[in-house]
Amino acid sequence: MICCHATTHAFKNILASLPKPGGGEYGKFYSLPALNDPRIDKLPYSIRILLESAIRNCDNLKVTKNDVEKIIDWENTSPKLVEIPFKPARCILMDNTGVPAVVDLAAMRDMMAKLGCDPYKINPLIPVDAVIDHAVRVDVVRSHDALDKNMELEFDRNKERFGFLKWASTAFHNMQVFPPGSGTVHQVNLEYLAQVVFNTDGIMYPDSVVGTDSHTTMINSLGVAGWGVGGIEAVVAMLGQPMGMVLPGVVGFKLSGKLRDGVTATDLVLTITEMLRKHGAVGKFVEFYGVGVGELSLPARATIANMSPEYGATMGFFPVDHVTLDYLKLTGRSNDNVSMIEAYLRANNMFVVRHEPHTERVYSSYLKLDLTDVEPSISGPKRPHDRVPLKEMKSDWHACLDSRVGFKNFAVPREYQDKVVKFDFQGQPAEIKHGSVVLAAICSSTNTSNPSVIVGAGLVAKKACELGLEVKPWVKTSLTPGSVVAREYLKHSHLQDYLNQQGFHLAAFGCATCVGNSGDLDESVSTAITENDIVAVAVLSANRNFEGRVHPLTRANYLASPPLVVAYALAGTVDIDFEKEPIGVGKGNKKVYLRDIWPTTEEIEQVVKSNMLPHMFTQTYESIMKCNQRWNELRVPEVALYPWDPSSTYIRKPPYFKGMAMSPPGPPMVKEAYCLLNLGDSITTDHISYSGSILVDSPAAKYLLASGVDQKKFSSYGGRRGNTEVVVRGAFTNMRIVNKLMNGKVGTKTVHVPTGEELYVFDAAMKYKSKGHDMVIISGAEYGSGSSRDSAAKGPMLLGVKAVIAKSFERIHRSNLVGMGIIPLCFNAGEDADSLGLNGHERYTIHLPTSIGEIHPGQDVTVTTDNGRSFTCILCLDTELELAYFNHGGILPYIIRNLAGPKN
């Protein structure tokens, strides 16, 4: 056996040269074929990327030869949930979730200086790109200068946050920041940043990335292994620490056939999401294969990969093929670079040639779908995996109104279901009823990577204009694409003119309506909804529609393709059968049906081919850094340690290192804790850490008002995540939370058990803390699903929550809880709070061993209550590395102690 030494690499014997066709060499690479191991030929392509990374980073300390063997033997080891280290090639930060990560880095640098250690050890060791993909609040709509006015408002509101990131780009090595208005982080990653194959110091290796947004997975469409992590884990990756992970199972998803005319990639991804949620993909990779993959464009693949979190997978992976290479050329990558990428991937058995024979890969489980079976669909009204075939939408909507309140239902009494509310809208008569669309947004999430559906929306708008249909003025409409390039091809094709006529003016490049920043509805519309308890609807081309996320007044929210967003905006209601009922009455008093304005696939492809050109990508990205005047005029201090402003309401030095000792504290004790909230299934990070507007009577609003902030400048919870005072007050402020302690009431309050008072969650937690009481949270299945925001773990930790006891956790959130020192416990299979007779009024003691050596990942833990109940839970720590974090009170103290001195 070859041992790893400081000067001798364990796998130096497989380091091979990659020749150029005309002579010379591209560089050297660690050759998987040179291992001459038949097990590798059967590995999924996604696992081969993990294998190459382990081989290249093998130092027999953080990555060992035994780790490499585990991955090679994946077919046998993955069912055993073995632990492996993974070191990604780079890290990408999204503004809203990236700012807290950079705040943590800055605070860690301060702590290192305080300890008398070199603060420059807190410096990214891998390339880090931060895109100011801020959640633009869509205040200006139906205006030709909406984009410029919204950007002006955003700079006025968020100048301090933007300045902080600009400071970081000069204070930290290896970090570049893309200014506001560059597009979403995922689009910039897809169109510009992704390398696919790196060639660094003469060594070639596959691109891989972790990002502080769960939809980092969009990059899987390019054959790049990447997934979302919380900002806490991102800090670990940036500082060169290996990420401990369980070697995942891989679902092989075979695609055949071809999408029928008029069926969109959105319809396909909603179908795939439904299938994978039923199959079970949480914590797994999904790898797409089969001849049907070759029929999908790269943007269609990106649509599918983007929604990996919605179907629960860590990745939705598409290995590189000729479609990938063509997209790289389209988006401005040089021919020489693309040739190098292809040569490397072919040489290392990571390139797919669709019609050549190859060794059949082995997967953990299998699914298949004939693309010809996919039909037009939307999803909702409260969850992304609740797909509804378009032809069944009218009947499904009535079922939603009829049935008792749940994930699909609203329990509106029959006698009120047809109620029509008439009101005055800016001097003209208007009316809404249950099912009326009041918000229609073509937004930056899943779909705007795909020019076909954006062009499709433009063609629907064009045909509607020509036939005399118009969107009602009280429907709030917006267009916020993720790619700046979308502006270019919509302008070049003249389709933007027709979108403008229907109210879909370009309002921003970045997240907006999809994360709750839709802005206010007109006051007359809001009043009509609230005073009459109307179940109003938002239709948006996003990937998430959880309760309270999109807008507090739209109780029903449906995900749809951009063309369908325009169609529903024209119809003004979801209570319609598009096959049988007209969308409206057009010129000559003629009824217009959906089929009259729906473009064919051929029409869309022709417009895309004629108007989406390579120079649009190269010129756009060349100008992004140079032409943003507001960004370029920002002046920031050029210092290594951030000059914290104690009066700032945006950027505050976090308290995570307050009172920190150099010795780890050991396992936390939880004794006689009160239950802060008793929750049900599918509690999302939007419930836990709301990202939308700050309501005027909330604890966060009271804090901001006391700090001298005018209500008009409250911004949003998402925009203020760099301030822990807002993070802690924003925990559990989603007005759609159902807390069993509140006897089924929906809202942001809980019961302070000792006194029986109904208080805001923050106020109740502070009352517990003032008496020195621990707190726990009880929940159902899929706790923490949704966005990978670390504030959903930081908020509860700052409240004083010591443990979460749930039926199951979503992958990223469970990891974030561990990272913040909160104990994740799972009820045993078949048990939950209800079956155990727990109502949340008990006091809970968690009987963990007092010695770290007696604690093991996945072990049983006994929990007792003050009324004599006792039950067993599973300790949801996955790896020995997580156990180390647990011992240190979280990831951040662990890193500080390891960088500051001898390993503890």
Side-chain angles (χ1 to χ4, degrees), residues 20 23 36 95 143-144 151-152 210 215 240 303 307-308 320 405 449 505 515 527 537 557 661 747 787 793 861 864 897:
K20 286 185 177 179
N36 197 28
D95 176 17
S143 166
H144 287 284
M151 287 300 298
E152 185 177 346
V210 292
H215 294 110
T303 306
M307 278 192 84
S308 296
V320 176
V405 174
S449 63
H505 289 272
V515 290
T527 301
V537 178
N557 302 281
S787 301
V861 173
T864 58
R897 293 186 181 106

PDB file of all heavy atoms in Angstrom, residues 20 23 36 95 143-144 151-152 210 215 240 303 307-308 320 405 449 505 515 527 537 557 661 747 787 793 861 864 897:
ATOM      1  N   LYS A  20      -2.865  17.512 -25.730  1.00  0.00           N
ATOM      2  CA  LYS A  20      -3.665  18.328 -26.638  1.00  0.00           C
ATOM      3  C   LYS A  20      -3.613  17.705 -28.032  1.00  0.00           C
ATOM      4  O   LYS A  20      -2.602  17.091 -28.400  1.00  0.00           O
ATOM      5  CB  LYS A  20      -3.114  19.757 -26.698  1.00  0.00           C
ATOM      6  CG  LYS A  20      -3.386  20.598 -25.482  1.00  0.00           C
ATOM      7  CD  LYS A  20      -2.894  22.022 -25.704  1.00  0.00           C
ATOM      8  CE  LYS A  20      -3.221  22.929 -24.531  1.00  0.00           C
ATOM      9  NZ  LYS A  20      -2.733  24.300 -24.744  1.00  0.00           N
ATOM     10  N   GLY A  23      -0.522  18.756 -30.058  1.00  0.00           N
ATOM     11  CA  GLY A  23       0.764  18.660 -29.371  1.00  0.00           C
ATOM     12  C   GLY A  23       0.749  19.367 -28.038  1.00  0.00           C
ATOM     13  O   GLY A  23      -0.054  20.274 -27.795  1.00  0.00           O
ATOM     14  N   ASN A  36      -7.885   0.852 -12.538  1.00  0.00           N
ATOM     15  CA  ASN A  36      -8.170  -0.486 -13.076  1.00  0.00           C
ATOM     16  C   ASN A  36      -9.063  -1.292 -12.131  1.00  0.00           C
ATOM     17  O   ASN A  36      -8.803  -2.463 -11.836  1.00  0.00           O
ATOM     18  CB  ASN A  36      -6.857  -1.237 -13.347  1.00  0.00           C
ATOM     19  CG  ASN A  36      -7.059  -2.436 -14.259  1.00  0.00           C
ATOM     20  OD1 ASN A  36      -7.980  -2.445 -15.077  1.00  0.00           O
ATOM     21  ND2 ASN A  36      -6.216  -3.449 -14.109  1.00  0.00           N
ATOM     22  N   ASP A  95     -26.637  36.733  -1.585  1.00  0.00           N
ATOM     23  CA  ASP A  95     -26.641  37.890  -0.693  1.00  0.00           C
ATOM     24  C   ASP A  95     -27.388  37.646   0.609  1.00  0.00           C
ATOM     25  O   ASP A  95     -26.819  37.716   1.696  1.00  0.00           O
ATOM     26  CB  ASP A  95     -27.251  39.074  -1.449  1.00  0.00           C
ATOM     27  CG  ASP A  95     -27.390  40.325  -0.596  1.00  0.00           C
ATOM     28  OD1 ASP A  95     -26.742  40.397   0.448  1.00  0.00           O
ATOM     29  OD2 ASP A  95     -28.141  41.212  -0.989  1.00  0.00           O
ATOM     30  N   SER A 143     -44.676  50.039 -15.068  1.00  0.00           N
ATOM     31  CA  SER A 143     -43.984  51.286 -15.397  1.00  0.00           C
ATOM     32  C   SER A 143     -42.769  50.957 -16.234  1.00  0.00           C
ATOM     33  O   SER A 143     -42.055  49.986 -15.961  1.00  0.00           O
ATOM     34  CB  SER A 143     -43.562  52.003 -14.115  1.00  0.00           C
ATOM     35  OG  SER A 143     -42.636  53.022 -14.402  1.00  0.00           O
ATOM     36  N   HIS A 144     -42.521  51.770 -17.269  1.00  0.00           N
ATOM     37  CA  HIS A 144     -41.375  51.502 -18.148  1.00  0.00           C
ATOM     38  C   HIS A 144     -40.047  51.686 -17.427  1.00  0.00           C
ATOM     39  O   HIS A 144     -39.039  51.137 -17.843  1.00  0.00           O
ATOM     40  CB  HIS A 144     -41.440  52.418 -19.382  1.00  0.00           C
ATOM     41  CG  HIS A 144     -42.507  52.012 -20.354  1.00  0.00           C
ATOM     42  ND1 HIS A 144     -42.371  50.940 -21.199  1.00  0.00           N
ATOM     43  CD2 HIS A 144     -43.745  52.533 -20.587  1.00  0.00           C
ATOM     44  CE1 HIS A 144     -43.470  50.810 -21.934  1.00  0.00           C
ATOM     45  NE2 HIS A 144     -44.321  51.761 -21.575  1.00  0.00           N
ATOM     46  N   MET A 151     -34.333  49.662  -8.356  1.00  0.00           N
ATOM     47  CA  MET A 151     -32.916  49.601  -7.997  1.00  0.00           C
ATOM     48  C   MET A 151     -32.518  50.804  -7.136  1.00  0.00           C
ATOM     49  O   MET A 151     -31.747  50.675  -6.183  1.00  0.00           O
ATOM     50  CB  MET A 151     -32.055  49.543  -9.261  1.00  0.00           C
ATOM     51  CG  MET A 151     -32.093  48.207  -9.986  1.00  0.00           C
ATOM     52  SD  MET A 151     -31.509  46.841  -8.949  1.00  0.00           S
ATOM     53  CE  MET A 151     -29.827  47.357  -8.651  1.00  0.00           C
ATOM     54  N   GLU A 152     -33.075  51.959  -7.469  1.00  0.00           N
ATOM     55  CA  GLU A 152     -32.781  53.149  -6.664  1.00  0.00           C
ATOM     56  C   GLU A 152     -33.284  52.970  -5.236  1.00  0.00           C
ATOM     57  O   GLU A 152     -32.584  53.292  -4.259  1.00  0.00           O
ATOM     58  CB  GLU A 152     -33.436  54.377  -7.315  1.00  0.00           C
ATOM     59  CG  GLU A 152     -33.106  55.691  -6.623  1.00  0.00           C
ATOM     60  CD  GLU A 152     -33.716  56.891  -7.330  1.00  0.00           C
ATOM     61  OE1 GLU A 152     -34.168  56.742  -8.490  1.00  0.00           O
ATOM     62  OE2 GLU A 152     -33.758  57.965  -6.714  1.00  0.00           O
ATOM     63  N   VAL A 210     -20.483  24.307  -3.264  1.00  0.00           N
ATOM     64  CA  VAL A 210     -21.564  24.424  -2.285  1.00  0.00           C
ATOM     65  C   VAL A 210     -21.961  25.886  -2.225  1.00  0.00           C
ATOM     66  O   VAL A 210     -21.134  26.782  -2.416  1.00  0.00           O
ATOM     67  CB  VAL A 210     -21.160  23.912  -0.882  1.00  0.00           C
ATOM     68  CG1 VAL A 210     -20.944  22.416  -0.902  1.00  0.00           C
ATOM     69  CG2 VAL A 210     -19.931  24.635  -0.355  1.00  0.00           C
ATOM     70  N   HIS A 215     -31.103  26.219  -3.823  1.00  0.00           N
ATOM     71  CA  HIS A 215     -31.226  26.023  -5.261  1.00  0.00           C
ATOM     72  C   HIS A 215     -29.900  26.148  -6.004  1.00  0.00           C
ATOM     73  O   HIS A 215     -29.875  26.254  -7.238  1.00  0.00           O
ATOM     74  CB  HIS A 215     -32.272  26.977  -5.828  1.00  0.00           C
ATOM     75  CG  HIS A 215     -33.643  26.663  -5.319  1.00  0.00           C
ATOM     76  ND1 HIS A 215     -34.313  27.479  -4.438  1.00  0.00           N
ATOM     77  CD2 HIS A 215     -34.446  25.590  -5.515  1.00  0.00           C
ATOM     78  CE1 HIS A 215     -35.467  26.934  -4.134  1.00  0.00           C
ATOM     79  NE2 HIS A 215     -35.574  25.782  -4.758  1.00  0.00           N
ATOM     80  N   GLY A 240     -11.474  25.819   4.220  1.00  0.00           N
ATOM     81  CA  GLY A 240     -10.691  24.654   3.820  1.00  0.00           C
ATOM     82  C   GLY A 240     -10.924  23.412   4.636  1.00  0.00           C
ATOM     83  O   GLY A 240     -10.195  22.429   4.492  1.00  0.00           O
ATOM     84  N   THR A 303     -34.011  23.695 -15.102  1.00  0.00           N
ATOM     85  CA  THR A 303     -35.301  23.805 -14.425  1.00  0.00           C
ATOM     86  C   THR A 303     -35.507  22.630 -13.476  1.00  0.00           C
ATOM     87  O   THR A 303     -35.952  22.792 -12.339  1.00  0.00           O
ATOM     88  CB  THR A 303     -36.428  23.852 -15.468  1.00  0.00           C
ATOM     89  OG1 THR A 303     -36.172  24.903 -16.402  1.00  0.00           O
ATOM     90  CG2 THR A 303     -37.777  24.086 -14.809  1.00  0.00           C
ATOM     91  N   MET A 307     -35.034  22.484  -8.888  1.00  0.00           N
ATOM     92  CA  MET A 307     -36.069  22.112  -7.923  1.00  0.00           C
ATOM     93  C   MET A 307     -35.716  20.884  -7.090  1.00  0.00           C
ATOM     94  O   MET A 307     -36.592  20.309  -6.435  1.00  0.00           O
ATOM     95  CB  MET A 307     -37.411  21.903  -8.637  1.00  0.00           C
ATOM     96  CG  MET A 307     -38.143  23.210  -8.884  1.00  0.00           C
ATOM     97  SD  MET A 307     -39.865  23.027  -9.396  1.00  0.00           S
ATOM     98  CE  MET A 307     -40.687  22.842  -7.813  1.00  0.00           C
ATOM     99  N   SER A 308     -34.442  20.509  -7.067  1.00  0.00           N
ATOM    100  CA  SER A 308     -34.024  19.384  -6.224  1.00  0.00           C
ATOM    101  C   SER A 308     -34.517  19.506  -4.786  1.00  0.00           C
ATOM    102  O   SER A 308     -34.999  18.521  -4.206  1.00  0.00           O
ATOM    103  CB  SER A 308     -32.497  19.244  -6.236  1.00  0.00           C
ATOM    104  OG  SER A 308     -32.033  18.926  -7.518  1.00  0.00           O
ATOM    105  N   VAL A 320     -22.351  15.413 -18.034  1.00  0.00           N
ATOM    106  CA  VAL A 320     -22.010  16.230 -19.204  1.00  0.00           C
ATOM    107  C   VAL A 320     -22.146  15.413 -20.482  1.00  0.00           C
ATOM    108  O   VAL A 320     -21.698  14.265 -20.565  1.00  0.00           O
ATOM    109  CB  VAL A 320     -20.573  16.780 -19.069  1.00  0.00           C
ATOM    110  CG1 VAL A 320     -20.163  17.552 -20.327  1.00  0.00           C
ATOM    111  CG2 VAL A 320     -20.465  17.676 -17.834  1.00  0.00           C
ATOM    112  N   VAL A 405     -59.557  22.546   6.683  1.00  0.00           N
ATOM    113  CA  VAL A 405     -58.262  23.194   6.526  1.00  0.00           C
ATOM    114  C   VAL A 405     -57.134  22.165   6.589  1.00  0.00           C
ATOM    115  O   VAL A 405     -57.089  21.318   7.491  1.00  0.00           O
ATOM    116  CB  VAL A 405     -58.054  24.275   7.603  1.00  0.00           C
ATOM    117  CG1 VAL A 405     -56.642  24.856   7.518  1.00  0.00           C
ATOM    118  CG2 VAL A 405     -59.080  25.388   7.426  1.00  0.00           C
ATOM    119  N   SER A 449     -34.142  30.383 -16.004  1.00  0.00           N
ATOM    120  CA  SER A 449     -32.968  29.820 -16.661  1.00  0.00           C
ATOM    121  C   SER A 449     -33.345  29.333 -18.048  1.00  0.00           C
ATOM    122  O   SER A 449     -32.490  29.043 -18.870  1.00  0.00           O
ATOM    123  CB  SER A 449     -32.429  28.631 -15.864  1.00  0.00           C
ATOM    124  OG  SER A 449     -33.400  27.600 -15.830  1.00  0.00           O
ATOM    125  N   HIS A 505     -44.024  44.478 -16.700  1.00  0.00           N
ATOM    126  CA  HIS A 505     -42.830  45.297 -16.918  1.00  0.00           C
ATOM    127  C   HIS A 505     -41.647  44.691 -16.176  1.00  0.00           C
ATOM    128  O   HIS A 505     -41.805  44.064 -15.125  1.00  0.00           O
ATOM    129  CB  HIS A 505     -43.063  46.727 -16.425  1.00  0.00           C
ATOM    130  CG  HIS A 505     -44.006  47.504 -17.273  1.00  0.00           C
ATOM    131  ND1 HIS A 505     -43.607  48.224 -18.374  1.00  0.00           N
ATOM    132  CD2 HIS A 505     -45.362  47.667 -17.181  1.00  0.00           C
ATOM    133  CE1 HIS A 505     -44.656  48.814 -18.929  1.00  0.00           C
ATOM    134  NE2 HIS A 505     -45.733  48.491 -18.217  1.00  0.00           N
ATOM    135  N   VAL A 515     -39.803  35.231  -2.866  1.00  0.00           N
ATOM    136  CA  VAL A 515     -39.404  35.182  -1.455  1.00  0.00           C
ATOM    137  C   VAL A 515     -40.186  36.187  -0.614  1.00  0.00           C
ATOM    138  O   VAL A 515     -39.726  36.624   0.422  1.00  0.00           O
ATOM    139  CB  VAL A 515     -37.888  35.402  -1.273  1.00  0.00           C
ATOM    140  CG1 VAL A 515     -37.108  34.236  -1.793  1.00  0.00           C
ATOM    141  CG2 VAL A 515     -37.425  36.706  -1.918  1.00  0.00           C
ATOM    142  N   THR A 527     -58.101  45.682   1.330  1.00  0.00           N
ATOM    143  CA  THR A 527     -59.293  45.853   2.163  1.00  0.00           C
ATOM    144  C   THR A 527     -60.393  44.884   1.745  1.00  0.00           C
ATOM    145  O   THR A 527     -61.055  44.267   2.589  1.00  0.00           O
ATOM    146  CB  THR A 527     -59.810  47.299   2.065  1.00  0.00           C
ATOM    147  OG1 THR A 527     -58.772  48.192   2.506  1.00  0.00           O
ATOM    148  CG2 THR A 527     -61.043  47.494   2.931  1.00  0.00           C
ATOM    149  N   VAL A 537     -55.583  34.637  -4.605  1.00  0.00           N
ATOM    150  CA  VAL A 537     -54.612  33.736  -5.220  1.00  0.00           C
ATOM    151  C   VAL A 537     -53.438  34.501  -5.816  1.00  0.00           C
ATOM    152  O   VAL A 537     -53.606  35.567  -6.406  1.00  0.00           O
ATOM    153  CB  VAL A 537     -55.290  32.893  -6.326  1.00  0.00           C
ATOM    154  CG1 VAL A 537     -54.272  31.971  -7.006  1.00  0.00           C
ATOM    155  CG2 VAL A 537     -56.433  32.082  -5.752  1.00  0.00           C
ATOM    156  N   ASN A 557     -51.549  29.838  -3.301  1.00  0.00           N
ATOM    157  CA  ASN A 557     -50.431  30.222  -4.167  1.00  0.00           C
ATOM    158  C   ASN A 557     -50.094  29.051  -5.077  1.00  0.00           C
ATOM    159  O   ASN A 557     -49.848  27.937  -4.597  1.00  0.00           O
ATOM    160  CB  ASN A 557     -49.214  30.593  -3.321  1.00  0.00           C
ATOM    161  CG  ASN A 557     -49.505  31.721  -2.340  1.00  0.00           C
ATOM    162  OD1 ASN A 557     -49.531  32.876  -2.705  1.00  0.00           O
ATOM    163  ND2 ASN A 557     -49.771  31.360  -1.085  1.00  0.00           N
ATOM    164  N   ALA A 661     -14.691  29.905  25.843  1.00  0.00           N
ATOM    165  CA  ALA A 661     -13.415  29.442  26.419  1.00  0.00           C
ATOM    166  C   ALA A 661     -12.702  28.581  25.388  1.00  0.00           C
ATOM    167  O   ALA A 661     -13.304  28.091  24.436  1.00  0.00           O
ATOM    168  CB  ALA A 661     -13.691  28.640  27.685  1.00  0.00           C
ATOM    169  N   GLY A 747     -51.077  31.938  13.596  1.00  0.00           N
ATOM    170  CA  GLY A 747     -50.444  33.208  13.901  1.00  0.00           C
ATOM    171  C   GLY A 747     -49.066  33.065  14.485  1.00  0.00           C
ATOM    172  O   GLY A 747     -48.475  31.994  14.477  1.00  0.00           O
ATOM    173  N   SER A 787     -35.947  26.529   2.113  1.00  0.00           N
ATOM    174  CA  SER A 787     -34.686  27.228   1.878  1.00  0.00           C
ATOM    175  C   SER A 787     -33.613  26.830   2.880  1.00  0.00           C
ATOM    176  O   SER A 787     -33.904  26.489   4.024  1.00  0.00           O
ATOM    177  CB  SER A 787     -34.899  28.746   1.963  1.00  0.00           C
ATOM    178  OG  SER A 787     -35.850  29.185   1.032  1.00  0.00           O
ATOM    179  N   ALA A 793     -31.842  28.262  11.998  1.00  0.00           N
ATOM    180  CA  ALA A 793     -31.210  27.620  13.152  1.00  0.00           C
ATOM    181  C   ALA A 793     -30.682  28.664  14.125  1.00  0.00           C
ATOM    182  O   ALA A 793     -30.725  28.474  15.337  1.00  0.00           O
ATOM    183  CB  ALA A 793     -30.073  26.707  12.696  1.00  0.00           C
ATOM    184  N   VAL A 861     -31.779   7.913  22.663  1.00  0.00           N
ATOM    185  CA  VAL A 861     -31.711   8.850  23.779  1.00  0.00           C
ATOM    186  C   VAL A 861     -33.069   8.841  24.479  1.00  0.00           C
ATOM    187  O   VAL A 861     -34.115   8.924  23.830  1.00  0.00           O
ATOM    188  CB  VAL A 861     -31.386  10.283  23.290  1.00  0.00           C
ATOM    189  CG1 VAL A 861     -31.485  11.274  24.453  1.00  0.00           C
ATOM    190  CG2 VAL A 861     -30.011  10.337  22.658  1.00  0.00           C
ATOM    191  N   THR A 864     -37.622  12.215  29.265  1.00  0.00           N
ATOM    192  CA  THR A 864     -38.666  12.079  30.282  1.00  0.00           C
ATOM    193  C   THR A 864     -39.358  13.423  30.498  1.00  0.00           C
ATOM    194  O   THR A 864     -38.792  14.479  30.197  1.00  0.00           O
ATOM    195  CB  THR A 864     -38.087  11.583  31.619  1.00  0.00           C
ATOM    196  OG1 THR A 864     -37.068  12.501  32.058  1.00  0.00           O
ATOM    197  CG2 THR A 864     -37.484  10.201  31.474  1.00  0.00           C
ATOM    198  N   ARG A 897     -11.348  27.210  17.681  1.00  0.00           N
ATOM    199  CA  ARG A 897     -10.427  26.472  18.556  1.00  0.00           C
ATOM    200  C   ARG A 897      -9.379  25.719  17.751  1.00  0.00           C
ATOM    201  O   ARG A 897      -8.219  25.627  18.159  1.00  0.00           O
ATOM    202  CB  ARG A 897     -11.210  25.518  19.457  1.00  0.00           C
ATOM    203  CG  ARG A 897     -12.095  26.230  20.486  1.00  0.00           C
ATOM    204  CD  ARG A 897     -12.750  25.265  21.455  1.00  0.00           C
ATOM    205  NE  ARG A 897     -13.609  25.963  22.402  1.00  0.00           N
ATOM    206  CZ  ARG A 897     -14.935  25.954  22.369  1.00  0.00           C
ATOM    207  NH1 ARG A 897     -15.560  25.245  21.444  1.00  0.00           N
ATOM    208  NH2 ARG A 897     -15.634  26.626  23.256  1.00  0.00           N
TER     209      ARG A 897
END
